[in-house]
Amino acid sequence: MSRRIGVMGGTFDPIHHGHLVAAEEARWQFDLDTVVFVPTGQPWQKPVGVSPAEDRYQMTVIATASNPAFTVSRLEIDHQGPTYTVDTLRRLRAEQPEGTRLFFITGADAVLQILTWKEPDQVLALSEFIAATRPGFDLDSLVNQVPGAAGRVHRVDIPALAISSSDVRGRVARGAPIQYLVPDGVARYIQKHRLYRGPAGG
Ligand code: ATP
Ligand code: MG
């Protein structure tokens, strides 16, 4: 059987249990061999206040270390300048044997952005999509707005976790607990490196 690889892109500033639940549920429901987490390099769409790529990478490694099916790629963080999903998917595809099926895993909010950014037709040709439900976003109406998405975007219903990285950053900034929202190792990393202590939570 051909290999099936999940790809989960994100800023991961920081990675939290919403990301991990979405990735694991997608792995299980779609019988994926691996899920590759790809932290973004210099995200041009979130230019201010993003933590150093190396911190986001380390936290992603810590959070995924115990899952034998999860790996983390430096593809985007080692790349100078902005990276586009379409380029990442091309590179990942080039590394894989012929016939490998790629599944880009996103939350309901991100699927529309990714499929309308750069070369949406190419993105959809390179990879199928697994869009995880996320509280506050109507996935079906979002997907209906993307031409050519029908049949290439699959829906995965995950236990709703209203967790976001922005909320986690805000909580750290005001001294609220983040235990149980992020893996313990990530919480300890944030504390050790004094991330998100600034007034804006960045
Ligand atoms: P921020 O609040 O900074 O935007 P975020 O929590 O949305 O952070 P990202 O790194 O922007 O995290 O998201 C990476 C991917 O994970 C996106 O596809 C996003 O939709 C998805 N995702 C994030 N949180 C959840 C969640 N709680 N449930 C389902 N999907 C999620
Ligand atoms: Mg987001």
Side-chain angles (χ1 to χ4, degrees):
M1 212 183 85
S2 65
R3 274 173 67 73
R4 300 162 70 90
I5 297 187
V7 181
M8 180 130 193
T11 316
F12 302 130
D13 192 19
I15 190 165
H16 55 68
H17 282 131
H19 300 128
L20 295 162
V21 166
E24 177 61 8
E25 192 66 18
R27 183 199 64 75
W28 181 66
Q29 287 197 26
F30 289 82
D31 200 19
L32 306 176
D33 297 291
T34 313
V35 177
V36 186
F37 288 73
V38 188
T40 51
Q42 297 169 339
W44 51 268
Q45 73 279 27
K46 286 186 189 175
V48 255
V50 175
S51 303
E54 216 54 54
D55 285 324
R56 295 184 289 105
Y57 172 78
Q58 294 286 350
M59 290 190 283
T60 307
V61 170
I62 290 165
T64 56
S66 64
N67 190 319
F70 287 177
T71 63
V72 187
S73 168
R74 297 186 59 94
L75 205 67
E76 292 197 6
I77 67 168
D78 285 345
H79 181 88
Q80 295 298 309
T83 35
Y84 297 93
T85 303
V86 66
D87 302 320
T88 301
L89 289 171
R90 275 197 190 107
R91 293 212 197 100
L92 287 171
R93 177 157 284 299
E95 288 171 1
Q96 298 301 326
E98 192 94 13
T100 300
R101 278 173 77 179
L102 293 183
F103 294 83
F104 198 88
I105 304 164
T106 73
D109 58 310
V111 67
L112 189 67
Q113 283 174 306
I114 287 167
L115 292 180
T116 49
W117 272 344
K118 202 194 165 212
E119 303 178 49
D121 301 346
Q122 278 303 306
V123 171
L124 272 170
L126 284 159
S127 179
E128 290 166 71
F129 277 74
I130 298 174
T133 51
R134 188 172 185 185
F137 298 94
D138 180 356
L139 180 58
D140 295 324
S141 73
L142 289 175
V143 168
N144 288 339
Q145 297 173 34
V146 183
R152 295 290 285 172
V153 181
H154 314 283
R155 175 196 168 105
V156 61
D157 283 279
I158 63 166
L161 290 177
I163 306 176
S164 68
S165 301
S166 10
D167 181 56
V168 171
R169 295 193 299 272
R171 294 181 72 87
V172 175
R174 62 179 190 272
I178 57 168
Q179 198 185 14
Y180 312 125
L181 298 176
V182 301
D184 284 346
V186 171
R188 280 193 228 111
Y189 187 98
I190 290 169
Q191 196 173 26
K192 175 173 170 181
H193 296 273
R194 303 184 61 83
L195 300 180
Y196 315 130
R197 299 286 183 90

